[in-house]
Amino acid sequence: MTDSGTTPGAQDAPSSAPDGAEVTYAWAPTAPAPRKRRLALWIGTPLAVAIVGVVAASLVLIAPGTAVAGVPVGGMTAGAAAEAIQSRLAHTTVELSAAGVDATLTGADLGASVDARSLAEAAYADHPMWKVGGWFSESRPASITLNPETANAALRKVLPDLYTDPTNARVTYQASSSTYVVTPAVEGKGVALAALATAIETSFAKGESTVSLTPTTAPVQAATTTAYAQTTATSLNKLLGTVGFYVGSERTVPVAPAVAASWLTLSTHPDGAISIDADTAVIQKTVDALAKAVNRAPVNGTVVTDTAGKVLSTETTALDGRTLGDTSGIASAFAAQLAKGNGVYALPVTIAKATTTKVSRNIVVDLSTQTATLFQDGKVFRTYLISSGLPGHDTITGNFKIFAKVYIQDMGCFPGAPYCTKNVPWVSYFNGDQALHGAYWHHNFGHRMSHGCVNMPLDVAKFVYYWAPIGTEVRVQY
C-alpha cells in the first residue's frame, strides 16, 4: 500500500518492507487548479467591436431620414451624399413642348449643377447620425443653375425656332463726316434659362425625376452693345482730333482723319470687346517723310521798343531751329500707342535756340524844315518831306505817342465841317485828331498844306503806318 501526502516539498524516504525488502515512498503530485470559465469574454468582444463601429459610424454618417432636394442621403457620408445629389440632377428628365415641337433633355444636357458638396456637408453638420433628435428631418432645398453655353447649345438643337441671334453694334469710319459712327445693336431672343432653372429646381425639391414645361423666351442682348460701341467711337474721334507727330505741345506733322483711319483696323471679339490694331508698315511711309516737315534752321526775332526799352510790338517772331533724331522704331511705337487710343506721338528732336533783337524807334517832325525823321536805335533811319498845318490850323508841338491807327477813313465830312476829304489812307493818330497820314490831293510836300495833320506821300505814309507801332513816340518841334 502506498500512502501519498500533499505536503509541499516532501522528500522521498527509504522504508523497510515486511519481508525485509527496501520500499520507496513518494508524495502524490499536486492536483491542477480548475480552469476559469471564459464564455462571457468570448460573447462580450464582438458586441464591444460592434458598439465601437456604431459609434464611429455615427460620427461620419448623415442621420436616417435626411433628404436634400428630395434625394435621400440618410446613412451616407457627406461625399457619397454629394455624388447622389449631383447624379440625381444629371439624370433628371426635362420634357419640353413649344412651337409644335416636343423634346426631351436631361439635366446633364442642360449643364445643370448644384453645390452638392456644400449641401451634403450642411446636411451632415445639422443632422449627424449621432444626433438622434435630428433624424427624419425635412428635405433641404437646393439652388439649381444652368450653364448658359451648354444649355443654349442643347436647346437650340431641339427648339431652333425659339432662337434669334442678336446683331452686334458696329463702329465704322464715315468719310463724309471724317468721324467714326455707330450702327446700333439689335437684340435677339432665346429660351429664358432662369425660368427653366426655377422649374427644374421646384421639381427637384419635390423629389420628382421628370420636369414637363413649355419654355418661354427672353431677350438676348448683343455682346457688343450700342452704348459700348458709342464709347469706342467717341474715343476714336477724340484720337482723330489730336493724331499727329508732336514737338513739345506743337502738332508739327498733323495726320488727317482719313489717313489715320486707314492705319486702323477694328476687330470685334466673341465677348463683344472691340480691339484696335494699327498697321506699322503703312505708318512707316509717313515716318519716312518726317525729316522734311520737321527740320528747320533757327529764325531770329525782332521786337520794336520805345526809347525807354518798352516793347511795343513783335516785328519778327523768333523761331527755334530743330533737327529730327533717330526715327527707327517710331512706326511700331506709334502703332502701339494708337491701339491704346493715344494719337499724340512725341518726336525726338534737337533744338537750336533762336535769339531776339530789340530795336527802338521814334519819330521827330520838324516844322521848320517840314520834315519827318525816323530814328532807329537813336540813329537817323530815314527823313521825308511833309506838309504840316497851315496858319490857323497849326500842327501842335510837343511829345506824343501814336495811340490809334486807321487803314482808310473820311476826314471832316460832317455837317458844318470846313472841309471833307474822302478815303484818307494810312492814318496814324498821335495827338487828338492830328495824325500822320497819306495825302493824294497834292504833291507840295515841304510846305504847310494841311488842317493840322502831317501830310505824307502815300508810299511814305504806308511805310510809317507799318514801321511805327502803337506807342511809338512822336516829337513835334520847330
Side-chain angles (χ1 to χ4, degrees), residues 283-292 327:
I283 296 173
Q284 185 63 48
K285 296 177 181 178
T286 300
V287 172
D288 292 339
L290 284 177
K292 183 177 180 180
T327 60

Side-chain angles (χ1 to χ4, degrees), residues 105 109-111 148-159 163:
L105 297 172
D109 294 333
L110 296 169
E149 184 175 346
T150 303
N152 282 320
L155 290 164
R156 189 184 287 268
K157 286 182 178 180
V158 297
L159 299 171
Y163 282 85

Side-chain angles (χ1 to χ4, degrees), residues 352-366:
K353 297 295 291 183
T355 60
T356 299
T357 301
K358 290 184 177 181
V359 176
S360 68
R361 290 175 181 169
N362 65 294
I363 300 172
V364 175
V365 176
D366 193 319

Side-chain angles (χ1 to χ4, degrees), residues 244-248 250 324 330 334 337 342-349:
F245 298 90
Y246 287 68
V247 175
E250 173 195 302
L324 183 64
I330 286 181
F334 198 16
Q337 278 191 203
N342 181 4
V344 177
Y345 191 85
L347 291 172
V349 296

Side-chain angles (χ1 to χ4, degrees), residues 173-180 236-237 239-241 243 251 254-265 282 286:
Y173 180 73
Q174 186 178 73
S176 61
S177 63
S178 298
T179 59
Y180 282 92
L236 285 166
N237 288 331
L239 181 149
L240 293 183
V243 64
R251 183 157 56 152
V255 176
V259 174
S262 72
W263 294 352
L264 306 178
T265 300
V282 176
T286 300

